[in-house]
Amino acid sequence: MSDRIFGTFGLLLAGFYAWATLQIEESFLSDAVGPKAFPLIIASILALSSLAIILRPDEEPEWPALGRLAEIGAAIVVMILYAEFLPEIGFVIATALAATYLTWRLGTAPLQSVVVGAGTSLGIYTVFHLVLGLSLAKGPLGF
């Protein structure tokens, strides 16, 4: 039963995501694919996955313990805070902090998590901003 509830929630989320994507106004200067293609692909994958869960639920699903659910909740809070603070502290710092916390909770040692978080942040910044020329949120340090 819980799988069907989860699948239904995913299907509703996919529908909302697709609807929100279709509200994006396209500029006459957009490329051939446009800004809607990638979000619609994500919505389609989510919808298909949710349908699979609804149609073929697990007979005896195992839910995580309360402590694990709390960790999942904390990860969600970190991602919400990431989105909120991204314009304030910039992409590099916000991504480094979020990646550090998430890798630490996935089991790496604290110092190693800091290194991985910083490396992830700088790597993504290099590829998306320096190589591809995409605009990322600038922080107080100017990058």
Side-chain angles (χ1 to χ4, degrees):
M1 180 68 176
S2 61
D3 281 358
R4 287 200 168 108
I5 293 170
F6 179 71
T8 302
F9 176 76
L11 196 57
L12 291 171
L13 182 63
F16 174 74
Y17 193 68
W19 173 80
T21 298
L22 294 173
Q23 302 306 308
I24 297 172
E25 292 187 27
E26 294 186 39
S27 168
F28 67 93
L29 294 175
S30 67
D31 59 5
V33 176
K36 297 179 185 180
F38 184 71
L40 286 175
I41 290 170
I42 298 297
S44 300
I45 292 170
L46 178 58
L48 290 173
S49 301
S50 297
L51 280 173
I53 292 171
I54 292 169
L55 297 175
R56 299 196 65 192
D58 189 358
E59 296 299 324
E60 295 183 33
E62 291 183 32
W63 283 84
L66 187 58
R68 280 292 192 201
L69 286 174
E71 285 188 28
I72 293 168
I76 292 169
V77 169
V78 166
M79 295 310 296
I80 291 169
L81 290 173
Y82 173 74
E84 288 296 318
F85 285 106
L86 187 65
E88 312 298 325
I89 62 176
F91 177 83
V92 174
I93 296 171
T95 303
L97 291 173
T100 296
Y101 174 79
L102 293 173
T103 56
W104 172 62
R105 293 314 309 145
L106 286 172
T108 57
L111 183 59
Q112 187 179 8
S113 294
V114 171
V115 172
V116 169
T120 300
S121 176
L122 293 173
I124 294 172
Y125 178 81
T126 299
V127 170
F128 284 95
H129 184 70
L130 301 178
V131 175
L132 297 175
L134 299 176
S135 177
L136 299 174
K138 292 186 180 190
L141 303 177
F143 57 87

